[in-house]
């Protein structure tokens, strides 16, 4: 418990923080999670551990650290400086006094991949141009033309695009394998940190945040889901068809009443969007009553959607699914907050600090009440 005096000190420091021109942070790293498995020679190889970089500001003024989980083909560098060499989100949040934990997902970048972890895939430069950096030149969805915030042309041979594309890495394509590994490694990380965190996941890292949250809800203060992979139950952009059979994930989530076969027990219905710019939405049916996400509903969720991303077509459905399953969800649509022209990689774009500032303001509200601890107390769940 903080004394009233130190609380006042922290409030004063938080007020002064925006004036600080440069943030000096100390930097350490560690590996956590994974386990020894036998190789074909009967000898041991350690696999599944994650690389974690811990950045600590000179003065920690925030009671809850942030854990950042990057998306598909990305690494923890997403949160450091941006491809245009401007400071990224880590620098912003450090300047606001948050400890930052930046990980590389299992089997990726500095978290080692072994051949028995599964086949690797890679995104082409064209894929990133079309979906992330130059969406306005392809117009593959209605909102794509609104994209203005990527620095440079967003195309191959532009130095900023090249700096970004060359930072991307191969990834294990099977979502269930990745979720299972990240669920375990993320739980090990949260146990090591030992106090409730803001768990921030972007895109495919958002799937990972659901899996980790389902496993250790008591160690998460608030989930910040930046365009988490979706929508529930189906593929939208990538040709349709079933996906994420547990609603949010491919791997089991704890529901109440419990679910053992999601295909039959999660009864679904399609809600039309009535809007040609948005996908229809598969939700749980109202009869029988929708099942609750027993663990994830112990944590408030900030769902963040940019104006021009392909997620603008279906994050409305993600918000609906979460609320229906009992999750306290605030859907932050950047355009409604006056933050225009962003795509899916919003934290690498020109106005990344404006988005971080908006989130910081909202996180402050959660930190001073209404976070996971409060929700859990209200639901009569024991605090750690
Ligand atoms: C090792 O880790 C994998 C992936 O997280 C998990 O599936 C497996 O059960 C673990 N094995 C042991 C012996 O803990
Ligand atoms: C679209 O219209 C139908 C029929 O009126 C309604 O049931 C449904 O809720 C509407 N969808 C949205 C997203 O409002």
């Amino acid at each position: 418990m903080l004394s009233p005096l130190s609380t006042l000190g922290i409030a004063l420091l938080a007020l002064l923080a925006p004036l600080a021109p440069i943030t000096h942070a100390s930097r350490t790293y560690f590996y956590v999670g994974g386990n020894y498995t036998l190789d074909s020679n009967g000898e041991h190889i350690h696999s599944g551990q994650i690389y974690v970089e811990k950045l600590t500001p000179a003065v920690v003024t925030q009671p809850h650290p942030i854990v950042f989980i990057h998306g598909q083909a990305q690494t923890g560098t997403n949160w450091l400086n941006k491809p245009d060499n401007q400071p990224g989100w880590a620098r912003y949040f450090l300047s606001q006094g948050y400890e930052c934990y930046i990980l590389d997902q299992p089997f990726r970048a500095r978290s080692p991949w072994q051949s028995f972890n599964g086949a690797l895939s890679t995104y082409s430069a064209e894929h990133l141009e079309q979906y992330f950096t130059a969406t306005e030149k392809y117009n593959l969805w209605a909102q794509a033309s609104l994209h203005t915030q990527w620095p440079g042309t967003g195309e191959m041979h532009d130095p900023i695009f090249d700096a970004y594309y060359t930072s991307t890495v191969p990834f294990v394509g099977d979502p269930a394998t990745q979720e299972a590994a990240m669920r375990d490694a993320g739980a090990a990380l949260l146990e090591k940190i030992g106090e409730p965190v803001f768990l921030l996941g972007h895109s495919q890292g958002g799937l990972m945040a659901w899996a980790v949250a389902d496993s250790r809800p008591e160690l998460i203060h608030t989930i910040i889901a930046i365009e988490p992979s979706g929508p529930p139950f189906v593929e939208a952009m990538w040709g349709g068809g079933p996906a994420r059979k547990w609603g949010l994930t491919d791997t089991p989530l704890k529901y109440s009443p419990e679910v053992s076969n999601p295909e039959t027990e999660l009864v679904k219905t399609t809600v039309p969007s009535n809007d040609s710019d948005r996908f229809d939405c598969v939700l749980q049916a109202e009869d029988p009553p929708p099942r609750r996400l027993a663990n994830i509903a112990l944590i408030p969720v900030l769902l963040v959607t940019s104006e021009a991303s392909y997620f603008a077509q279906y994050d409305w459905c993600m918000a609906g699914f979460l609320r229906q399953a009992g999750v306290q969800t605030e859907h932050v649509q950047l355009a409604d907050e006056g933050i225009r022209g962003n795509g899916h990689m919003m934290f690498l774009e020109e106005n990344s600090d404006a988005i971080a500032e908006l989130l910081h303001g909202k996180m402050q509200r959660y930190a001073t009440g209404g976070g996971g601890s409060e929700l859990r107390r209200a639901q009569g769940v024991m605090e750690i």
Side-chain angles (χ1 to χ4, degrees), residues 198 221-223 298-301 328 330 362-377:
F198 286 107
H221 182 276
T222 302
I223 296 172
L298 299 171
I299 311 162
V301 171
Q328 181 193 306
E330 178 176 352
K362 293 189 180 290
M363 287 157 72
Q364 288 295 289
R365 280 213 330 266
Y366 284 86
T368 54
S373 332
E374 207 118 306
L375 263 188
R376 290 187 283 275
R377 257 197 302 280

Side-chain angles (χ1 to χ4, degrees), residues 34-37 47 180-181 184:
N35 55 32
Y36 283 106
T37 53
S47 175
D184 290 353

Side-chain angles (χ1 to χ4, degrees), residues 271-274 316:
V271 178
S273 73
N274 309 320
W316 72 276

Side-chain angles (χ1 to χ4, degrees), residues 33-37 47-48 106-107 117 177-185:
N35 55 32
Y36 283 106
T37 53
S47 175
F107 321 137
N117 295 139
T177 303
Q178 193 66 26
E179 280 170 26
M182 187 63 224
R183 175 188 288 261
D184 290 353

Side-chain angles (χ1 to χ4, degrees), residues 35 43 99 102 115 122 151 208 231-233 238 295 300 303 373:
N35 55 32
E43 297 188 344
E99 277 178 307
I102 296 177
S115 54
T122 297
M208 304 301 145
F233 300 120
W238 326 111
N295 286 345
L303 172 69
S373 332

Side-chain angles (χ1 to χ4, degrees), residues 204-226:
Q204 185 238 12
L207 288 183
M208 304 301 145
W210 305 134
V212 174
D214 194 61
S215 155
R216 289 293 183 283
E218 71 283 5
L219 288 173
I220 301 168
H221 182 276
T222 302
I223 296 172
I224 304 167
I226 314 283

